[in-house]
Amino acid sequence: MTTLEFSYSLNKLSSTLKPFALKLTRDMDDANDLLQDTMVKAFTNRDKFTEGTNLKAWLYTIMKNTFITNYQRMVRRGTFVDTTDNLHYINSSDSQIENGAYGNFAMDDIQYAIQKLDDVYKTPFMMHFRGFKYHEIADKLQIPIGTVKNRIHIARKLLKEDLVVYRHKN
């Protein structure tokens, strides 16, 4: 098979490989990257392909192996090696102390800003925050769903403005 014929065959099969790449990665950009890596590896290793065998199966194997290699590389990057004498020390939850002061101050500011909202905005906002769907809030408050969405949007906008102003004062 000439290089031109091989290139044509790769190009022809690329559209059938894309769904498999998407299934592996579950992300369109990552799937496109995986497909491109597969095509590059296939083209650079075209001399290893035996003519008369199943090119599509060969490409699927390259893609699967490339995905596995990339995944293992990503896992290794996120892993660190504990070189301390006490090997379980790093994973011990007793060794971590969280300082909640900043979070507490922020939550106090947020609660204060929410309390300052008019009830017409605060009620739908808090219901949505607690997990109610727009149509449930509309039914409960007996107002149109568009009004619910508008009031939640306004509440968010007012909270954002209030918290930004408050942050710049302190």
Side-chain angles (χ1 to χ4, degrees), residues 82-90:
D82 180 6
T83 58
T84 62
D85 292 334
N86 189 355
L87 294 178
H88 72 277
Y89 181 75
I90 288 180

Side-chain angles (χ1 to χ4, degrees), residues 139-150:
D139 291 344
K140 182 82 169 169
L141 299 178
Q142 298 179 345
I143 56 177
I145 196 166
T147 304
V148 170
K149 291 178 180 180
N150 188 41

